[in-house]
Amino acid sequence: MSETPARRVLVLAHTGRQDAIDAALQAIRILDEEGLDSVMPAADVAAVRAAVGEDPGFRPLSLGEDCALSDVSLGLVLGGDGSVLRAADLVRGHGIPLLAVNLGHVGFLAESERTDLHRTVKAIADEAYVVIERMALDVVVRVDGREAARTWALNEASVEKSNRERMLEVVVSVDDSPLTAFGCDGVVLGTPTGSTAYAFSAGGPVVWPGVEALLFVPISAHALFARPLVVGPHSTIAVDIMTRTRETGVLWCDGRRTVDLPPNARVEVTRSTEPVRLARLSPVPFADRLVRKFRLPTEGWRGPVTDEDVRAREATAVAEVETVEPRHAGPRPDVVPPPTSALPVLTPEDLERYRSRDGRGGDRTS
């Protein structure tokens, strides 16, 4: 009987950074010790060998040559959020979950830090993780009614101006109903996952990943009503480039895929039927992730009330709570005269006297 083939893990690293290359070498060695096959894109294999030479411990399979994405069970991403977006683009359409180790700054999509690399790889070998799904966007560009491009995004699709010195004029619609029009630097159409990325920087709300919704966030809009909007997951948000100024725009999806937008172009964003799958070692409340990644101040907070606190409070005499009815439910108070006296009413004689003092017949009172 033939042996069961080893599980294959796709290792994706930022090969332009030495710390990412070092992390990839360490991860591949641990995977090999655990009996798992490591896989890397052929270009990444060449980049690592060019940086470190012929390392005898570096023997990954080359993606596309030795195996295909359909043979991979999980992707290990070593880098920041940009590396995760690159990995999500690479595995799109194959349902491969991604587990990221943060080597960047915030690393909001990452599950662990560089110091936890050994524990992370060991958890992969033991399959000690769960897989969650994050909503993605389908993005369609139409020009004069004709489909010109189709792509997707995990974080956001941003429509931005092409010329720095001019504003882009847009019309925003929700479910084919025009909502507002204004000049701006651009608009961000995002997901809850992207609410902590570009949309957050543009002043949008932070949306919990469990909320199924689409976000619309203007960028430097020249308008009185240009507030961020949160719409339902089954809606379609459209942005039309107005032709009045003949200004052009550009579409950026996750900061990686771009499409030029001439006047009269239309960008339509809907919820994708294919989510992005992320592997989690220890699922924690999203609020904890926010506090950790953004270093939010929580010092002094003593935590929720415990059973001991409740018992101690019950043992202490507490004043009875008084219920006060709303003001409109009680009797009407007596009418109080206004604090200032009423203005005098001018007689016809007074009016004539005032008019005669002003040759123009105007009002000279202050």
Side-chain angles (χ1 to χ4, degrees):
M1 179 181 292
S2 61
E3 295 183 357
T4 302
R7 290 167 49 220
R8 292 174 175 176
V9 176
L10 178 64
V11 179
L12 293 169
H14 191 318
T15 56
R17 294 172 46 182
Q18 186 59 46
D19 59 340
I21 293 177
D22 294 340
L25 294 173
Q26 180 183 354
I28 289 173
R29 282 194 295 268
I30 301 173
L31 288 171
D32 184 63
E33 293 171 359
E34 295 293 334
L36 277 67
D37 289 337
S38 56
V39 181
M40 294 186 75
D44 289 2
V45 173
V48 172
R49 283 180 174 155
V52 302
E54 290 297 331
D55 187 334
F58 181 67
R59 301 187 305 273
L61 302 176
S62 292
L63 185 64
E65 299 176 2
D66 303 319
C67 66
L69 281 173
S70 57
D71 302 319
V72 173
S73 61
L74 182 135
L76 175 62
V77 184
L78 305 170
D81 285 342
S83 298
V84 178
L85 295 174
R86 173 202 173 205
D89 197 19
L90 178 64
V91 304
R92 185 74 175 165
H94 292 82
I96 300 174
L98 301 173
L99 197 158
V101 176
N102 181 37
L103 303 180
H105 297 288
V106 178
F108 215 94
L109 294 172
E111 176 63 10
S112 62
E113 301 297 323
R114 175 68 171 86
T115 53
D116 297 327
L117 180 58
H118 190 281
R119 182 180 67 89
T120 300
V121 178
K122 187 68 168 61
I124 293 174
D126 296 337
E127 297 187 77
Y129 57 83
V130 296
V131 177
I132 64 172
E133 294 184 343
R134 292 290 184 90
M135 185 173 71
L137 302 176
D138 282 334
V139 186
V140 177
V141 178
R142 304 184 190 278
V143 178
D144 296 326
R146 175 183 56 84
E147 183 176 315
R150 181 179 292 269
T151 183
W152 76 286
L154 170 59
N155 276 350
E156 76 281 316
S158 62
V159 177
E160 305 174 28
K161 62 182 183 180
S162 297
N163 298 320
R164 182 177 182 275
E165 67 275 9
R166 301 290 296 274
M167 285 195 304
L168 187 67
E169 299 213 9
V170 300
V171 177
V172 180
S173 305
V174 177
D175 295 330
D176 291 328
S177 296
L179 185 65
T180 184
F182 47 75
C184 58
D185 284 354
V187 295
V188 178
L189 309 173
T191 65
T193 298
S195 70
T196 52
Y198 197 173
F200 172 82
S201 300
V206 174
V207 181
W208 260 236
V211 177
E212 296 184 348
L214 304 176
L215 280 68
F216 162 76
V217 183
I219 306 173
S220 301
H222 192 71
L224 291 177
F225 179 76
R227 300 296 183 184
L229 302 177
V230 180
V231 304
H234 304 297
S235 293
T236 299
I237 304 179
V239 178
D240 289 275
I241 309 299
M242 297 179 67
T243 60
R244 182 174 60 186
T245 60
R246 306 304 301 173
E247 287 300 315
T248 60
V250 59
L251 168 70
W252 285 94
C253 291
D254 289 338
R256 292 182 49 81
R257 296 168 296 280
T258 180
V259 179
D260 291 330
L261 302 174
N264 207 33
R266 179 183 179 90
V267 177
E268 297 177 348
V269 168
T270 57
R271 176 182 182 172
S272 175
T273 57
E274 181 184 348
V276 172
R277 308 182 73 208
L278 299 177
R280 296 297 193 206
L281 300 179
S282 54
V284 296
F286 182 68
D288 291 351
R289 188 175 293 269
L290 274 179
V291 170
R292 187 173 75 255
K293 295 297 184 179
F294 287 148
R295 299 181 181 178
L296 301 181
T298 57
E299 294 182 2
W301 167 239
R302 293 176 295 176
V305 178
T306 64
D307 292 340
E308 293 182 0
D309 295 332
V310 174
R311 287 191 293 269
R313 186 173 300 173
E314 291 175 348
T316 305
V318 180
E320 184 178 351
V321 177
E322 178 185 1
T323 301
V324 179
E325 295 295 336
R327 292 181 182 274
H328 67 268
R332 292 179 58 85
D334 295 335
V335 177
V336 178
T340 58
S341 59
L343 292 174
V345 178
L346 298 180
T347 64
E349 292 78 11
D350 294 330
L351 291 173
E352 184 63 27
R353 186 167 56 254
Y354 276 109
R355 289 168 180 166
S356 64
R357 289 168 55 186
D358 189 348
R360 296 172 298 176
D363 186 3
R364 300 183 61 182
T365 59
S366 59

